[in-house]
Amino acid sequence: LTCSPGQMVLSKMRRLLLPMLSVGLLFWLAGSAIGKAQPPLVSLLYLPYAHFWFLQATFVIMATFLLLHRLWPGRSTALAAGLMGLAALIWVSGLRATPNLFAVNQAAYLMPFFMLGYLCGHGTFLTRLKAHIPPALALLALLVLTGLSFALVSGLVRAPNEAARAALTLMIGATFCLSLLILSPRHAGLARIGGYSYTIYLFHVFFPAGSFESLRAFAPGTPDALIWATGLVAGIAGPVAAHHALLRSRVLSPLFLGLRPRPRSTTPRPVAPIPTAQRA
């Protein structure tokens, strides 16, 4: 929070809302082209649409935190903790906005995780946590929570009501994230892919769908496992390639990625010396 509130809001609008509208429009047009029922195009401006709701909710979370930080400077830790608790209470209580303008309901669900991430990234919260919780206990928590999540999804375990289920899912998600942060696993290959996570999120639907349609048209009878594997590779490699292609354009880079284009180098390329044998 080192820049002015106006600069911060404009930065988040460019990074989140501009790609939401441009990529969302492509998604809307693609769905319309194949005959899929679509919401009114103008609703993309103010209602959640497909997986792009995440961008609206993220913007609401950041704008809310920025506004409160502006009103009460120097209390970011207390604000993050307060927002985390308040949003969790709203989500568990079942309170929902109708209509769901700018994905405010999803923002209430995501807010505890965003604020928990802020607390872990600032101050000494995560350091103290690592000092008191051994890695073996964090690993055990991951295994238990994975099994519990599977049991909930498969119906082996049922919550008594929706409030209990909402509270349980929040607890599982937050504890799972904290356990991973305590363990801090590292993998160079996954870290490299993770650098493109935002672009993969934006464009991942297009490429697996294309690979599926291609296999269905040119290789009917392809085993499901191969279709899945092909879609997984396409869903990662396609957006990565698109990222590098879009980044070359000073117009498309901010429009579809929310990124400033790479500055063109003004330094002249060094001239290779002429070999002595060719100087004559």
Side-chain angles (χ1 to χ4, degrees), residues 94-258:
L95 183 64
R96 303 290 183 268
T98 305
N100 185 19
L101 294 175
F102 230 69
V104 292
N105 292 330
Q106 288 91 333
Y109 172 69
L110 293 178
M111 180 76 82
F113 299 101
F114 271 73
M115 294 300 103
L116 182 61
Y118 181 86
L119 291 174
C120 289
H122 298 76
T124 60
F125 175 73
L126 184 58
T127 303
R128 293 200 304 268
L129 205 62
K130 287 183 175 181
H132 290 87
I133 300 179
L137 183 59
L139 180 60
L140 178 62
L142 284 178
L143 296 175
V144 172
L145 292 172
T146 300
L148 181 57
S149 300
F150 175 79
L152 281 173
V153 172
S154 62
L156 296 175
V157 174
R158 296 183 182 275
N161 50 56
E162 286 301 318
R165 183 180 179 84
L168 189 58
T169 54
L170 282 177
M171 182 274 294
I172 290 174
T175 308
F176 198 95
C177 292
L178 286 175
S179 300
L180 281 175
L181 287 172
I182 291 171
L183 292 171
S184 299
R186 294 284 187 268
H187 189 281
L190 292 179
R192 187 175 181 85
I193 294 174
Y196 300 97
S197 58
Y198 186 45
T199 310
I200 293 172
Y201 159 77
L202 287 171
F203 291 96
H204 74 276
V205 178
F206 297 97
F207 295 96
S211 69
F212 172 74
E213 293 299 330
S214 299
L215 288 173
R216 190 170 67 171
F218 300 106
T222 302
D224 291 342
L226 182 57
I227 292 176
W228 180 87
T230 304
L232 177 63
V233 173
I236 296 175
V240 170
H243 179 95
H244 288 286
L246 292 170
L247 209 57
R248 295 192 184 101
S249 172
R250 302 185 67 83
V251 175
L252 299 181
S253 177
L255 189 61
F256 288 99
L257 300 178

